[in-house]
């Protein structure tokens, strides 16, 4: 079986109960642990809509 060139995508949602500064550091940890080309990160901003769910 050949290795696929498709990278898994991780959704990054700063402010979902965890501060943006914590999320940014978590992404750095994932990159350091798994390698620069292992994952693709897709960032989503919830903004004011998040307040509805608290």
């Amino acid at each position: 079986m050949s290795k696929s060139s498709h990278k898994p995508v991780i959704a990054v949602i700063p402010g979902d109960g965890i501060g943006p500064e914590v999320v940014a550091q978590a992404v750095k940890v994932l990159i350091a642990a798994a390698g620069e080309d292992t994952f693709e990160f897709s960032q989503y901003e919830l903004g004011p809509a998040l307040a509805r769910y608290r």
Side-chain angles (χ1 to χ4, degrees), residues 5-28:
S5 62
H6 178 73
K7 295 182 201 178
V9 178
I10 297 177
V12 178
I13 309 170
D16 67 340
I18 299 173
E21 62 282 352
V22 174
V23 173
Q25 294 305 313
V27 168
K28 288 181 183 179

